[in-house]
């Protein structure tokens, strides 16, 4: 487009220079579009040329006189194709993050008037969405961004590109002339370019890692992008057809499971009876105050959904000025017992389960659901109050460790392995059965769940709110900027929500009672169900009891609209003679379950002899692979940032469930010690021959063996002080002498009798045997620490002194 005051009389017959000029513009494919006078004298002097009607089309033209100028005002409305940018590629509308100022956002947002605060809940949410959208559009309007095929490195600026070109020019002159001055200039240019490139990349990586906010999951993603930048692979299919295919696949999968369960329900031997409805114990939510809103906004993660009017991180940074917006919505929802209908839609993004799987097979994708931020704030409020009610009523199964304060996968595994070791010491055979449930969260029946909620004492607006939260939901698939049509959800709890794991625990509560009624023990972590049965090696009743238990579990699952998958269910035999079979296999739904030598239980690889050698080898292999990648970042990161990355990618692997590593044989523990030593050398820059002890002291790291002891003693402190699960508290008991002794007030623990600890693996590695011994070795002031923080601080100082002073 070419426009301006050309001072050419284009309204009359063209002659002379004017005719030549217009002809020249026409030969370049430019057409003049102004029709009518643009000057007060009646001449057309102001002209606009566009590059052909096929690219730009004038839809509206307005020419208005001005009182303060002899020229008129020209306004044009132009229609252009979606992409006129150089370089091609699709156009994406983006908002520059650097322009998103929390203070400017709050100033543009304004306040919610008192009259508007009394509107209905849906009106308040609609007002919230419209005002948030207007405010973000005011401070940061969307801008078009051309997405080219191959993007350069983010830190490779224009200045660096020019330095690179200058370096290449000097190199060419040097090769041609071999002039000394050219050689010197070329060396200087190469050195300057290398220094500038390293500084730019270092600044970029430091900013990216700092933006991860020390969250391991974010650091995994950021470092993965930096070390393995995308490029060269086939571009993903973001078409509407692909979205519809995913949407139908996910919806049909749940519908097929429900159909199969309904078809086989009549053939079951019997249904599990539901708990009778008790009197209402909780019927009203407690309304929130401004301090509660600030605390909740600080606790909710800043995950932004495509349906959110503005980024969630901006709301968290501006949370202090948004209390007057959130509090009326939250209190209206709690008092009316209603969840806003506009927040019930989820956006699903299909994620490939493993990079090695076939991307064309829809069954290899996992649906990742994302919900609006305001809905998660409401869920956080209800979840905190519901969690308090569950703790007061002691409703949940004590063996359920999923998403409960003080419970974790580590506490569940510590209790499980402790039971397996004690049974191994008695000479028993234990079968550990890991059940697999297909799409557990997606097939929950709303009627059964509401019945359980009513049976535990919920009623009034509290039960109404939860019913409103479950019903009327929908979701859609989003790939890039393309979305599928939404489809309704008639069952299941929304994945990605805060309340769903808690509701799932309530739903699964009767299962533990069914399993224990056969004398079989169990541990549950949300939908991961582990049951284990111990029996003498030559027991004749064991096959019948375990098969009856599995049949009852299958019947309960089907009656509760959950489908067990026998093909993915694993069984581990734990015995002293693990190489000898027991002569039979458990049966689930007519399928004989084979006995495996190793199984994955909550992220830990368990073997038949509980040696954990395979687990240690797997952890060491993956940790060394991460160290190899992190070493590439060492020249570009400050030591503090590099330490953060090492802790997130390497040390976290060593620390996960390291309470199970206490008492490992030296040949097994040495593999993990080498990982820790390599990480210390990477951070300190020491060579491979440097001794590890000075490096650990410099970094203030506990050696691997002492880190495992530290974890066991922390779990013991939590169990003794009501901060951990009761199933760990029941494995240790305070020392109570028969008569008054000096040790009576020492807060000691009783040691198991030697007759129960015949195997070295039990004495040195079982939690019920190791925890009292390590606990009693602590100084009294550490054992009697008033808080967990004081205990951890004193314990680390004491272990540090023992590790390096001995």
């Amino acid at each position: 487009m070419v426009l301006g005051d050309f001072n050419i009389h284009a309204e009359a017959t063209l002659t002379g220079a004017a005719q030549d000029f217009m002809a020249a513009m026409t030969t370049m494919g430019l057409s003049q579009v102004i029709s009518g006078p643009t000057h007060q004298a009646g001449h057309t002097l102001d002209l606009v040329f566009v590059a052909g009607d096929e690219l730009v089309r004038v839809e509206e033209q307005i020419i208005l006189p001005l009182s303060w100028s002899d020229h008129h005002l020209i306004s044009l409305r132009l229609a252009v194709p979606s992409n006129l940018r150089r370089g091609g590629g699709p156009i994406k509308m983006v908002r520059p993050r650097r322009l998103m100022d929390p203070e400017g956002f709050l100033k543009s947002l304004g306040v919610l008037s008192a009259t508007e605060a009394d509107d209905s809940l849906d009106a308040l949410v609609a007002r919230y969405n419209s005002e948030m959208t207007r405010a973000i559009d005011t401070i940061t309007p969307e801008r078009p961004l051309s997405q080219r095929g191959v993007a350069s490195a983010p830190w490779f600026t224009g200045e660096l590109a020019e330095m690179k070109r200058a370096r290449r020019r000097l190199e060419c002159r040097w090769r041609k002339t071999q002039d000394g001055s050219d050689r010197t200039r070329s060396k200087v240019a190469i050195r300057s370019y290398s220094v500038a490139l390293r500084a730019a990349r270092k600044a970029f990586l430091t900013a990216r890692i700092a933006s991860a906010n020390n969250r391991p999951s974010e650091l995994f993603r950021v470092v993965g992008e930096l070390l393995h930048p995308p490029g060269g692979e086939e571009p993903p299919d973001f078409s509407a057809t692909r979205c519809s295919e995913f949407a139908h696949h996910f919806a049909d999968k749940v519908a097929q499971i429900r159909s199969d369960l309904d078809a086989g329900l009549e053939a079951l031997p019997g249904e599990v009876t539901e708990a009778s409805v008790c009197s209402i114990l909780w019927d009203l939510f407690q309304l929130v105050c401004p301090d509660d809103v600030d605390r909740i906004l600080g606790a909710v993660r800043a995950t932004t959904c495509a349906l959110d009017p503005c980024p969630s991180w901006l709301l968290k940074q501006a949370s202090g000025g948004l209390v007057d917006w959130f509090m009326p919505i939250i209190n209206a929802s709690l008092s009316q017992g209603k969840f806003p209908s506009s927040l019930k839609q989820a956006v699903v993004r299909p994620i490939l389960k493993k990079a090695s799987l076939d991307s064309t097979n829809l069954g290899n994708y996992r649906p990742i659901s994302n919900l609006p931020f305001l809905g998660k704030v409401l869920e956080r409020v209800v979840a905190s109050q519901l969690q308090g009610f569950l703790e007061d009523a002691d409703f949940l199964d004590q063996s359920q460790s999923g998403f409960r304060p003080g419970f974790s996968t580590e506490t569940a595994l510590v209790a499980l392995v402790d039971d397996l070791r004690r049974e191994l010491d008695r000479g028993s055979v234990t079968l550990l059965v890991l059940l697999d449930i297909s799409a557990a969260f997606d097939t929950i029946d709303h009627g059964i769940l509401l019945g359980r909620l009513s049976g535990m004492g919920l009623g009034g607006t509290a039960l109404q709110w939860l019913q409103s939260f479950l019903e009327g939901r929908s979701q859609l698939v989003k790939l890039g900027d393309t979305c599928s049509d939404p489809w309704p959800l008639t069952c299941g709890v929304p994945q990605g929500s805060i309340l769903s794991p808690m509701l799932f625990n309530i739903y699964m509560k009767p299962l533990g009672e069914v399993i224990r009624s056969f004398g079989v023990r169990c541990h549950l972590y949300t939908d991961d169900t582990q049951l284990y049965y111990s029996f003498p090696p030559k027991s004749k009743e064991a096959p019948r009891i375990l098969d009856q238990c599995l049949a009852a579990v299958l019947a309960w699952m089907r009656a509760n609209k959950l489908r067990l998958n026998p093909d993915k269910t694993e069984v581990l035999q734990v015995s002293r003679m693990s190489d000898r079979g027991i002569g039979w296999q458990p049966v689930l739904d007519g399928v004989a379950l084979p006995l495996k030598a190793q199984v994955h239980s909550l992220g830990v690889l368990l073997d038949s002899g509980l040696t954990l050698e395979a687990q240690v080898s797997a952890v060491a292999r993956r940790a060394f692979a991460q160290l190899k990648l992190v070493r590439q970042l060492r020249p570009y990161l400050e030591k503090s940032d590099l330490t953060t990355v090492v802790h997130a990618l390497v040390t976290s692997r060593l620390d996960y469930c390291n309470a199970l590593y206490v008492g490992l044989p030296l040949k097994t523990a040495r593999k993990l010690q080498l990982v820790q030593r390599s990480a210390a050398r990477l951070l300190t820059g020491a060579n491979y021959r440097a001794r590890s002890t000075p490096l650990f002291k410099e970094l203030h790291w506990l050696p691997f063996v002492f880190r495992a002891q530290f974890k066991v003693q922390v779990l013991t402190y939590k169990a003794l002080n009501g901060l951990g699960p009761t199933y760990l508290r029941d494995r240790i008991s305070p020392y109570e002498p028969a008569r008054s002794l000096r040790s009576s007030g020492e807060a000691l623990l009783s040691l198991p009798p030697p007759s129960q600890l015949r195997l070295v693996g039990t004495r040195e590695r079982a939690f019920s045997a190791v925890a009292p011994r390590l606990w009693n070795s602590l100084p009294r002031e550490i054992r009697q620490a008033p808080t967990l923080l004081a205990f951890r601080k004193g314990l680390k100082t004491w272990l540090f002194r023992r590790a390096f002073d001995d």
Side-chain angles (χ1 to χ4, degrees):
M1 177 183 290
V2 181
L3 68 162
D5 178 11
F6 289 87
N7 204 27
I8 293 176
H9 292 205
E11 78 283 354
T13 302
L14 299 176
T15 60
Q19 184 178 7
D20 295 339
F21 174 77
M22 297 298 288
M25 300 297 282
T26 303
T27 58
M28 291 186 288
L30 297 173
S31 303
Q32 205 283 120
V33 299
I34 299 298
S35 59
T38 65
H39 190 266
Q40 64 181 6
H43 303 299
T44 305
L45 306 180
D46 303 279
L47 309 179
V48 175
F49 297 86
V50 297
D53 294 340
E54 68 278 3
L55 292 179
V56 180
R57 186 177 69 257
V58 180
E59 292 187 342
E60 183 180 357
Q61 181 181 144
I62 302 175
I63 302 176
L64 297 175
L66 297 176
S67 60
W68 44 270
S69 174
D70 54 351
H71 286 264
H72 299 341
L73 172 67
I74 302 174
S75 299
L76 297 175
R77 182 182 299 276
L78 306 177
V80 298
S82 59
N83 184 15
L84 290 179
R85 284 174 169 261
R86 192 176 116 192
I91 291 292
K92 182 179 181 181
M93 303 302 293
V94 298
R95 301 182 190 273
R97 180 163 179 162
R98 58 185 174 81
L99 300 179
M100 296 184 187
D101 176 32
E103 295 183 1
F105 176 76
L106 290 176
K107 181 182 289 186
S108 302
L109 181 63
V111 296
L112 184 68
S113 63
T115 56
E116 292 176 328
D118 296 331
D119 291 344
S120 64
L121 177 61
D122 289 333
L124 286 173
V125 174
R127 174 71 172 165
Y128 164 89
N129 288 327
S130 63
E131 286 300 306
M132 295 292 170
T133 302
R134 183 192 58 78
I136 194 68
D137 285 338
T138 301
I139 64 169
T140 317
E142 287 187 335
R143 298 181 179 183
L145 176 65
S146 177
Q147 297 176 307
R148 302 187 180 183
V150 179
S152 61
W155 57 84
F156 196 75
T157 62
E159 182 180 359
L160 288 172
E162 179 58 33
M163 293 178 67
K164 185 176 182 179
R165 287 191 290 269
R167 184 199 67 176
R168 287 179 174 176
R169 287 194 298 267
L170 287 170
E171 286 177 346
C172 292
R173 291 178 59 185
W174 178 18
R175 285 193 295 268
K176 290 179 179 179
T177 64
Q178 295 295 326
D179 183 73
S181 59
D182 287 341
R183 179 177 303 192
T184 302
R185 286 198 299 270
S186 180
K187 288 182 178 180
V188 172
I190 293 174
R191 189 179 301 110
S192 301
Y193 170 73
S194 301
V195 171
L197 180 63
R198 176 170 295 186
R201 190 180 185 193
K202 182 176 182 179
F204 174 79
L205 295 182
T206 303
R208 287 294 306 275
I209 291 175
S211 67
N213 295 326
N214 292 330
R215 292 196 303 271
S217 60
E218 288 293 321
L219 282 168
F220 272 110
R221 182 183 61 80
V222 169
V223 175
E225 291 177 357
L226 297 176
L227 296 179
H228 303 288
E233 68 273 6
E234 183 181 352
D237 184 3
F238 288 164
S239 63
T241 303
R242 186 68 168 171
C243 283
S244 298
E245 290 176 355
F246 274 112
H248 287 298
H249 170 73
F250 295 140
D252 293 344
K253 179 181 178 180
V254 176
Q256 184 63 43
I257 292 175
R258 295 279 299 199
S259 177
D260 294 342
L261 292 172
D262 293 338
L265 194 58
E266 298 178 357
L268 295 178
E271 293 186 9
V272 180
T273 57
E274 298 292 336
S276 58
V277 179
C278 65
S279 58
I280 296 177
L281 303 177
W282 185 35
D283 58 354
L284 291 174
F285 289 112
Q286 183 179 357
L287 302 183
V288 299
C289 62
D291 292 339
D292 297 330
V293 175
D294 278 336
R295 176 176 51 80
I296 292 164
L297 290 177
V300 179
R301 291 186 59 186
T303 53
T304 301
C305 174
L307 304 176
D308 284 329
C310 60
S312 302
W313 65 264
L314 182 62
L315 296 180
K316 287 179 67 70
Q317 291 190 6
S319 58
L322 297 176
V323 173
D324 293 337
W325 283 93
F326 280 95
M327 193 168 68
I329 296 175
I330 296 173
N331 287 335
S333 177
L334 299 180
S335 60
Q336 298 174 21
K338 180 182 177 182
F339 190 81
S341 57
S342 60
L343 304 180
K344 293 184 180 182
Q345 189 172 82
V347 176
V348 175
R349 295 183 182 273
I351 302 297
L352 199 62
K353 296 177 181 179
K354 293 182 180 179
S356 58
L357 296 178
D358 182 11
S359 60
T360 61
N361 186 357
L362 301 183
N364 293 333
Y365 285 83
R366 179 182 293 109
I368 303 300
S369 179
N370 203 353
L371 299 168
F373 179 76
L374 179 58
K376 289 192 173 184
V377 172
L378 289 172
E379 288 184 55
R380 176 71 68 176
V381 175
V382 173
S384 62
Q385 299 190 29
L386 180 59
Q387 182 65 45
F389 173 76
L390 293 175
E391 292 176 356
D392 294 340
D394 195 20
F395 178 81
L396 295 180
D397 194 316
Q398 289 303 316
S399 62
Q400 174 61 262
S401 301
F403 298 93
R404 300 175 62 183
F407 294 70
S408 65
T409 56
E410 185 162 22
T411 59
L413 283 168
V414 166
L416 171 65
V417 173
D418 183 71
D419 287 338
L420 296 179
R421 291 194 182 281
R422 297 303 292 264
E423 292 296 337
L424 197 64
D425 195 272
R426 297 186 184 101
S428 301
V429 176
T430 303
L431 291 186
L432 173 63
V433 183
L434 307 179
L435 301 177
D436 181 82
I437 307 176
S438 300
F441 275 56
D442 297 328
T443 60
I444 285 180
D445 187 84
H446 292 168
I448 297 176
L449 177 56
L450 292 173
R452 295 239 164 86
L453 293 170
S454 177
M456 60 185 281
L458 264 69
T461 55
L463 186 61
Q464 280 182 359
W465 192 96
L466 292 171
Q467 182 176 0
S468 175
F469 172 77
L470 293 171
E471 297 177 347
R473 305 195 73 94
S474 63
Q475 61 186 25
L476 55 87
V477 172
K478 182 177 176 62
L479 295 174
D481 294 330
T482 308
C483 297
S484 69
D485 294 331
W487 72 93
L489 301 177
T490 57
C491 60
V493 291
Q495 295 193 35
S497 77
I498 298 172
L499 268 177
S500 292
M502 193 177 300
L503 296 176
F504 188 85
N505 289 346
I506 296 173
Y507 193 83
M508 297 288 287
K509 198 259 183 183
L511 179 60
E513 302 171 3
V514 173
I515 296 174
R516 286 189 291 270
S517 66
F518 293 89
V520 179
R521 289 172 287 183
C522 65
H523 274 286
L524 300 92
Y525 191 89
T526 316
D527 60 335
D528 288 312
T529 302
Q530 307 176 88
L531 56 91
Y532 52 104
Y533 181 54
S534 303
F535 52 90
K538 297 183 180 181
S539 174
K540 297 182 179 180
E541 292 293 321
R544 179 183 61 83
I545 294 175
L546 188 56
D547 287 346
Q548 287 181 350
C549 178
L550 292 177
V553 170
L554 177 65
W556 186 90
M557 290 283 186
R558 287 183 175 174
N560 288 272
K561 309 298 182 182
L562 299 172
R563 187 177 75 176
L564 281 177
N565 190 347
D567 296 332
K568 294 185 179 180
T569 296
E570 298 180 323
V571 182
L572 176 70
Q573 175 189 340
V574 181
S575 64
R576 296 187 185 181
M577 307 295 290
S578 57
D579 55 336
R580 298 182 183 178
I582 54 178
W584 55 276
Q585 294 178 342
V587 177
L588 176 63
D589 197 15
V591 178
L593 305 175
L595 305 182
K596 295 191 173 182
Q598 298 174 353
V599 296
H600 274 97
S601 176
L602 299 177
V604 172
L605 193 59
L606 300 179
D607 55 87
S608 299
L610 300 180
T611 62
L612 295 182
E613 291 181 359
Q615 165 67 12
V616 169
S617 298
V619 171
R621 183 171 59 253
R622 293 167 185 165
F624 274 124
Q626 294 295 327
L627 276 176
K628 184 178 180 180
L629 296 176
V630 173
R631 190 171 284 110
Q632 301 177 30
L633 300 176
R634 191 174 183 273
Y636 308 106
L637 295 181
E638 299 291 346
K639 184 176 180 180
S640 59
D641 296 328
L642 190 65
T643 302
T644 301
V645 174
V646 169
H647 283 324
L649 303 183
V650 181
T651 310
S652 61
R653 295 180 182 272
L654 302 182
D655 287 346
Y656 178 68
C657 290
N658 61 342
L660 303 178
Y661 300 151
V662 171
L664 279 177
L666 182 60
K667 66 174 183 178
T668 304
R670 187 174 181 273
K671 298 178 182 179
L672 300 181
Q673 291 174 350
L674 291 176
V675 174
Q676 190 183 25
R677 184 185 306 173
S678 299
R681 289 171 177 167
L682 174 64
L683 289 179
T684 57
N687 61 48
Y688 71 97
R689 293 182 178 179
R691 295 180 64 248
S692 58
T693 300
L695 304 182
F696 290 162
K697 293 182 70 174
E698 177 185 347
L699 296 171
H700 205 69
W701 283 7
L702 285 174
F704 167 75
V705 174
F706 290 92
R707 293 177 79 93
Q709 295 180 11
F710 178 87
K711 181 65 71 64
V712 171
Q713 290 167 321
V714 169
L715 292 177
T716 305
Y717 181 88
K718 289 182 177 180
L720 292 174
N721 291 272
L723 302 176
T726 56
Y727 55 72
L728 287 187
R729 175 65 179 84
D730 296 339
R731 297 169 194 276
I732 52 180
S733 57
Y735 172 65
E736 297 178 357
R739 55 192 180 89
S740 178
L741 299 175
R742 285 183 299 175
S743 59
S744 300
E746 296 288 328
L748 300 175
L749 296 177
S750 297
L751 297 174
S755 59
Q756 299 180 7
L757 308 174
R758 292 172 291 182
L759 298 180
V760 176
T762 309
R763 290 195 303 269
E764 301 295 332
R765 302 176 64 182
F767 177 81
S768 56
V770 175
R773 176 168 54 83
L774 294 178
W775 180 263
N776 293 344
S777 66
L778 294 175
R780 182 179 65 177
E781 59 272 13
I782 297 180
R783 292 195 301 267
Q784 297 178 344
T787 63
L788 177 61
L789 181 62
F791 174 80
R792 292 171 63 95
K793 183 177 180 180
L795 175 61
K796 183 175 182 180
T797 303
W798 184 76
L799 288 176
F800 196 83
R801 189 162 50 247
R802 282 193 59 193
F804 298 111
D805 291 349
D806 292 347

